[in-house]
């Protein structure tokens, strides 16, 4: 069995699609040297690489539904065994089901660890459809943009790396976002209670601007990792 690497902090970002988990996880990487671990990114990489797991996940992801726990847990465990995890991790988009949360608790317990904090990014559902439908990223550095809220300063050029290639996710359209929101409410939102009971839940209003949310998150991270 793959051993999970020992890590000083295990932070979970919870929230529906569009809440800003990926954006904020990247900022926490910059601010605290933590490692962003996004199961969505790992699955998209598996789809692009054409692995068996990727082949099975592709249609499920395009339909806005959840990939099976067994596939997700296998890629998560593999990633958690990498040495960079020792810097501390921000789980972005994982866990998403009761089964995944229980498996994570077990995996960490085997390494004598536990979840440091689960931070729930609280947002209004209706605003999420607009937020997700207009987003795109730089293909080079991954910087996130939005047709309405955050265009590159110079059209067609990435503010961060100067690249000219941008991409949109196949599942970032209004219809699929609604499906993803309902999967979130049915299967993932109950985890808020799981982490509340475990005494590690933090809630944050994530409807404000990106910089304010980044600051509020930084305060929480400093507090829970002190
Ligand atoms: P994300 O990038 O987190 O929005 O995830 C994109 C898609 O990947 C989701 O809509 C699911 O189909 C799949 N996915 C990502 N993470 C998980 C997970 N933890 N459990 C099940 N499916 C997932």
């Amino acid at each position: 069995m793959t051993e999970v690497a020992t890590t000083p902090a295990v932070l979970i970002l919870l929230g529906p699609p569009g809440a800003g988990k990926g954006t904020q996880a990247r900022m926490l990487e910059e601010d605290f040297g933590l490692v962003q671990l996004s199961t969505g990114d790992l699955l998209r990489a598996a789809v692009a690489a054409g692995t068996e797991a990727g082949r099975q996940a592709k249609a499920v992801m395009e339909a806005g539904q959840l990939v099976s726990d067994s596939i997700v847990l296998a890629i998560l465990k593999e990633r958690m065994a990498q040495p960079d995890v020792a810097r501390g991790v921000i789980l972005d988009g994982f866990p998403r089901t009761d089964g995944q949360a229980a498996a994570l608790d077990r995996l960490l317990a085997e390494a004598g660890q536990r979840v440091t904090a689960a931070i729930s990014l609280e947002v209004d559902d209706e605003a999420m459809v607009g937020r997700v439908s207009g987003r795109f990223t730089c293909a080079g550095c991954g910087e996130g943009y939005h047709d309405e809220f955050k265009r590159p300063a110079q059209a067609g050029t990435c503010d961060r790396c100067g690249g000219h290639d941008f991409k949109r996710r196949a599942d970032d359209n209004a219809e699929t976002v609604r499906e993803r929101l309902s999967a979130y409410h049915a299967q993932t939102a109950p985890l808020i209670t799981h982490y509340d009971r475990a005494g590690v839940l933090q809630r944050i209003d994530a409807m404000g601007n990106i910089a304010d949310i980044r600051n509020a998150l930084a305060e929480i991270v400093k507090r829970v990792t002190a």
Side-chain angles (χ1 to χ4, degrees):
M1 202 184 77
T2 8
E3 295 284 314
V4 53
T6 304
T7 170
V10 179
L11 304 171
I12 295 171
L13 293 184
L14 286 170
K21 300 185 296 296
T23 303
Q24 294 297 340
R26 270 192 299 282
M27 291 181 170
L28 288 174
E29 278 196 323
E30 275 176 29
D31 294 348
F32 293 93
L34 300 165
V35 175
Q36 175 193 16
L37 211 159
S38 155
T39 42
D41 284 350
L42 294 171
L43 287 166
R44 281 184 286 280
V47 171
T51 65
E52 181 52 34
R55 268 197 295 276
Q56 288 181 37
K58 188 170 188 284
V60 180
M61 292 170 77
E62 281 170 4
Q65 289 157 5
L66 295 188
V67 174
S68 72
D69 284 358
S70 59
I71 291 182
V72 172
L73 286 167
I75 60 162
L76 190 272
K77 278 187 192 167
E78 198 183 320
R79 184 65 187 86
M80 289 285 285
Q82 309 276 310
D84 63 339
V85 159
R87 304 208 306 260
V89 291
I90 314 145
L91 297 175
D92 156 13
F94 179 92
R96 259 176 158 100
T97 63
D98 279 343
Q100 292 178 15
L104 176 66
D105 289 344
R106 279 196 303 274
L107 196 67
L108 292 174
E110 281 165 18
Q113 297 192 284
R114 64 193 293 260
V115 170
T116 313
I119 308 168
S120 167
L121 304 183
E122 316 239 312
V123 291
D124 301 334
D125 262 28
E126 271 317 300
M128 295 309 103
V129 179
R131 268 202 205 176
V132 175
S133 310
R135 68 187 185 182
F136 57 99
T137 53
C138 169
C141 71
E143 182 71 2
Y145 294 96
H146 193 281
D147 291 330
E148 212 179 312
F149 312 124
K150 189 190 163 198
R151 292 195 208 115
Q154 198 187 324
T157 304
C158 175
D159 298 346
R160 191 167 168 206
C161 74
H164 299 292
D165 249 1
F166 295 88
K167 56 183 185 183
R168 281 178 201 265
R169 281 170 45 175
D171 59 348
D172 276 354
N173 58 74
E175 193 191 331
T176 313
V177 177
R178 288 192 195 282
E179 190 63 36
R180 288 160 62 198
L181 280 169
S182 72
Y184 173 79
H185 287 291
Q187 289 162 279
T188 309
L191 298 185
I192 294 174
T193 309
H194 172 87
Y195 290 114
D196 198 11
R197 290 205 179 115
V200 293
L201 181 72
Q202 306 279 336
R203 293 176 190 270
I204 197 163
D205 174 0
M207 285 305 291
N209 73 55
I210 293 176
D212 290 343
I213 300 163
R214 176 185 198 157
N215 291 336
L217 265 172
E219 288 308 312
I220 293 176
V221 174
K222 277 186 219 150
R223 195 160 16 94
V224 299
T225 56

